[in-house]
Amino acid sequence: MALAKKYKKAPIVIAGDVAAALQESEVFSEVTAVPPGFLNCKVKEHFVTQYLSEMRSSAKYGLKEPERKKKIVIDYGGPNVAKPLHVGHLRSAIIGESVKRIARYMGHEVIGDIHLGDWGLQMGLIITELKERKPDLIYFEEGYEGEYPKEAPFTISELEEIYPTASAKSKEDAAYKEKAMEATFKLQSGVRGYRALWNHIIAVSVADLKKNYANLHVEFDLWKGESDVHDIIPEMVQYMKDGGYARESEGALVVDVKEESDTKEIPPCMILKSDGASLYNTTDLATIKERMEKIHPDQIIYVVDKRQELYFEQVFRCARKTKLVDEHVDLEFLGFGTMNGKDGKPFKTREGGVMRLETLIHDINETMYQKIMENHEADEMEARQTAKIVGLSAIKYGDLSNQASKDYVFDIDRFTSFEGDTGPYILYTIVRIKSILNKYKQQGGSLDNPELQDSTSDVQKALTLELVKFGSVIESAYEDIAPHKICAYIYDMANAFNRFYHETKILTTEDEREKAGYIALLQLTKEIFEVCIDLLAFEAPEKM
Ligand code: ARG
């Protein structure tokens, strides 16, 4: 239709010419022109089969290596030390891990950095509360020059209880808050005993975080934190002053970041408070500086709650204006929405408190376990193990299947269902394929490279046409930083497979060649599923 003007012909005439030219095509079995100017093309079965064979024998199922390998830092997770992980941190971990795996699979060099919140007032609060409770600890003895104990003077459970207590106290008691600010200052200026205590807090907390993230199949390459850039802040501040970027404003140091084209007010980026203390901003900017110097990334992606969008806009503008980043470096903010309960409000416990991640995972696994036991008699140990694997898919798929920026409702019943657009449905489909393959093998069939055959039915062809989309789906999930595209893809693929399964006699087919062809198709389908769920960072059990 777009060509009508150029050729001065009616669209249907042009379509007819194209259809005529494609009559001998190797790709299409049928091309017809349809008014007002459409072309309907039917792909040849054999062409698809050949394409699938090539896909099967190539390293990444036909996905090409990038023309230029990029270096990408992904800043995700972002938990705060000594505070229990709650569901708010879950989204960053789940989305970030998937984004990381997708970019890595594409062939880029990707570095995941947890960017621990380990430097702010919360550390001062904890130290203050510890001092109230155990004033005799050696860490508080001024002038002490000996070594400090290797063992921390608290456990993780104590630590997790200390922070909320201290935080509540500081809200009611101004003097207490004053003490906490002083402790923060002492810590940041390097008082030995405070640093030693802080090291214990980090060690105890990080050990616990590692365990929690491992359960979620989330792995970081770097465990850096806000504190790591503390020492380079003075030189960065000096650089900003020398370059004429920063100015004083009511005692504080700021960089203006508003632009003429702004439609809303973008406040200046504050670098130092009037008392000289650094801020969340300052550590983020210094972290950019450090990443540029040590890693030289082409892109940095931040996976953070979308309520921090304006904040990151300021930080990015400031980094560009002060030339902490080169022009070609892409700073990307992937803001995610809130995980809500069924009432549409941010997800809470039944009592209305903050839901701990461990509790949430426990609840999902329990529901999953009940469902597995309802479905069939199973060995308890095995069912528990399976429930864990399937439970993780329920949580992750429930999250990742939504566009990241949208809020979504965390609905345990829906997420754990074996039917519909859910993780367990996807896994159920994969397990079904595994079980057919196993049976085939038990019946004496060979799984060693069976030959793909041309489709003999619409349902089979529909499945093959899903499989060939693999490369373009992964590419577009990468380009748009959008794991939900992979979820939508495997959901379509699961539906296509199950339709094929219900309408095809796979193992009872008499013709051995045809049967082997089905098996080859099943194998490839299983492999594509497995790559995709690995990119979403969950896995399938053997049985369920
Ligand atoms: N710790 C922060 C929080 O809990 C998130 C960190 C996000 N990453 C960053 N580079 N600022 O809000």
Side-chain angles (χ1 to χ4, degrees):
M1 283 183 261
L3 291 172
K5 236 185 172 165
K6 186 166 173 193
Y7 292 121
K8 298 195 177 65
K9 280 186 191 172
I12 185 66
V13 177
I14 304 174
D17 292 347
V18 174
L22 285 174
Q23 286 316 307
E24 300 301 309
S25 156
E26 280 172 33
V27 181
F28 303 113
S29 59
E30 199 184 310
V31 181
T32 41
V34 186
F38 294 112
L39 281 161
N40 278 352
C41 308
K42 211 168 179 173
V43 183
K44 272 189 183 156
E45 267 74 11
H46 195 59
F47 177 78
V48 180
T49 311
Q50 275 175 330
Y51 188 92
L52 286 179
S53 301
E54 275 169 38
M55 250 179 98
R56 185 167 69 156
S57 59
S58 85
K60 292 193 295 187
Y61 304 96
L63 188 71
K64 291 189 194 68
E65 284 303 311
E67 269 168 35
R68 200 177 71 82
K69 199 174 165 140
K70 283 206 236 170
K71 212 176 209 187
I72 305 170
V73 172
I74 306 192
D75 182 314
Y76 71 110
N80 300 311
V81 164
K83 293 192 199 172
L85 278 178
H86 59 77
V87 297
H89 294 113
L90 184 65
R91 295 213 70 192
S92 181
I94 291 180
I95 299 167
E97 181 68 21
S98 180
V99 169
K100 183 187 76 180
R101 292 182 184 212
I102 294 167
R104 198 169 272 170
Y105 190 76
M106 284 292 292
H108 298 292
E109 185 181 344
V110 191
I111 300 149
D113 184 358
I114 189 165
H115 200 74
L116 286 173
D118 61 356
W119 204 229
L121 181 63
Q122 98 244 29
M123 307 310 294
L125 282 166
I126 293 165
I127 295 175
T128 302
E129 184 56 25
L130 271 170
K131 195 170 175 182
E132 300 268 304
R133 294 183 188 188
K134 303 175 183 174
D136 296 333
L137 284 177
I138 185 81
Y139 305 90
F140 300 118
E141 195 173 303
E142 268 175 56
Y144 177 75
E145 284 178 5
E147 280 201 21
Y148 289 108
K150 297 242 170 331
E151 197 74 17
F154 41 73
T155 62
I156 184 68
S157 344
E158 282 174 83
L159 206 51
E160 288 183 350
E161 174 267 318
I162 287 176
Y163 173 74
T165 310
S167 168
K169 277 194 191 173
S170 78
K171 280 181 191 128
E172 279 162 18
D173 181 348
Y176 188 93
K177 179 152 189 202
E178 193 60 39
K179 280 190 211 164
M181 276 159 58
E182 196 188 308
T184 312
F185 182 77
K186 279 188 173 171
L187 165 68
Q188 299 193 343
S189 48
V191 172
R192 268 184 87 237
Y194 283 52
R195 282 288 174 108
L197 256 187
W198 175 79
N199 278 326
H200 283 313
I201 300 173
I202 303 283
V204 169
S205 190
V206 163
D208 186 60
L209 285 172
K210 288 205 163 149
K211 190 188 79 198
N212 277 298
Y213 282 118
N215 279 333
L216 284 173
H217 291 208
V218 171
E219 298 140 16
F220 300 94
D221 305 292
L222 294 178
W223 280 76
K224 295 236 169 207
E226 294 171 6
S227 66
D228 280 286
V229 291
H230 177 68
D231 294 343
I232 65 168
I233 288 178
E235 60 185 86
M236 180 182 82
V237 169
Q238 195 56 46
Y239 162 82
M240 287 182 175
K241 283 185 185 162
D242 292 348
Y245 302 118
R247 66 173 173 92
E248 241 175 71
S249 163
E250 292 164 40
L253 192 72
V254 302
V255 173
D256 290 311
V257 293
K258 62 171 191 266
E259 286 164 14
E260 269 184 23
S261 54
D262 289 343
T263 49
K264 61 172 192 250
E265 176 78 19
I266 309 277
C269 195
M270 197 187 285
I271 309 296
L272 293 179
K273 288 200 276 196
S274 52
D275 62 0
S278 56
L279 304 97
Y280 184 45
N281 285 337
T282 329
T283 50
D284 259 317
L285 286 162
T287 304
I288 291 181
K289 177 173 156 65
E290 190 188 57
R291 285 176 181 155
M292 287 312 298
E293 284 164 8
K294 295 213 173 122
I295 305 178
H296 309 287
D298 298 287
Q299 186 182 37
I300 309 177
I301 303 175
Y302 294 84
V303 187
V304 184
D305 192 311
K306 76 174 174 206
R307 282 168 292 191
Q308 293 190 30
E309 182 160 19
L310 173 64
Y311 164 79
F312 275 99
E313 180 67 44
Q314 290 173 292
V315 169
F316 291 175
R317 285 185 183 193
C318 184
R320 290 211 184 281
K321 183 172 175 182
T322 59
K323 302 198 164 52
L324 285 181
V325 288
D326 302 342
E327 242 159 69
H328 76 270
V329 177
D330 179 16
L331 298 171
E332 195 77 48
F333 175 70
L334 182 63
F336 52 80
T338 309
M339 182 171 136
N340 289 326
K342 274 188 180 169
D343 57 1
K345 301 209 186 88
F347 201 77
K348 292 265 158 66
T349 59
R350 236 167 271 150
E351 293 73 36
V354 175
M355 178 69 124
R356 292 183 53 153
L357 194 53
E358 277 171 303
T359 317
L360 175 99
I361 293 176
H362 173 267
D363 290 357
I364 283 264
N365 289 353
E366 199 51 43
T367 311
M368 227 46 258
Y369 173 74
Q370 301 299 346
K371 288 202 176 170
I372 290 171
M373 289 308 242
E374 264 165 40
N375 262 8
H376 56 89
E377 290 274 303
D379 171 60
E380 169 164 359
M381 280 282 282
E382 210 182 297
R384 291 251 172 238
Q385 196 51 35
T386 309
K388 235 175 114 176
I389 300 176
V390 185
L392 190 63
S393 81
I395 298 179
K396 290 201 167 184
Y397 191 94
D399 189 306
L400 293 169
S401 54
N402 304 284
Q403 204 178 322
S405 63
K406 297 219 169 99
D407 297 348
Y408 75 96
V409 173
F410 191 89
D411 179 344
I412 291 201
D413 292 331
R414 190 170 82 72
F415 287 4
T416 56
S417 169
F418 289 99
E419 281 150 41
D421 192 5
T422 71
Y425 170 66
I426 302 292
L427 296 192
Y428 196 81
T429 307
I430 299 176
V431 167
R432 173 173 272 167
I433 301 178
K434 286 186 181 182
S435 125
I436 303 171
L437 293 175
N438 280 338
K439 265 199 207 124
Y440 179 71
K441 203 169 156 196
Q442 277 161 16
Q443 293 171 359
S446 163
L447 294 178
D448 188 21
N449 238 354
E451 204 176 324
L452 284 157
Q453 303 294 335
D454 294 352
S455 293
T456 51
S457 64
D458 285 348
V459 282
Q460 186 178 359
K461 190 165 179 187
L463 174 60
T464 61
L465 290 180
E466 285 300 332
L467 296 181
V468 298
K469 286 182 197 160
F470 173 75
S472 64
V473 168
I474 304 300
E475 266 172 27
S476 113
Y478 164 74
E479 294 290 341
D480 299 346
I481 325 185
H484 73 274
K485 295 196 167 176
I486 298 183
C487 293
Y489 173 59
I490 56 178
Y491 180 54
D492 286 346
M493 204 161 80
N495 286 336
F497 173 78
N498 286 315
R499 249 174 261 132
F500 166 72
Y501 167 80
H502 287 299
E503 288 186 27
T504 313
K505 292 192 177 71
I506 299 175
L507 289 177
T508 48
T509 296
E510 305 269 294
D511 185 334
E512 285 303 323
R513 212 178 125 91
E514 200 172 311
K515 198 198 282 187
Y518 291 151
I519 293 299
L521 182 61
L522 259 62
Q523 269 185 330
L524 184 59
T525 308
K526 170 174 123 22
E527 287 173 26
I528 300 274
F529 264 126
E530 284 173 337
V531 173
C532 288
I533 63 171
D534 187 55
L535 295 179
L536 303 171
F538 57 86
E539 58 188 19
E542 284 311 306
K543 280 193 259 176
M544 66 191 264

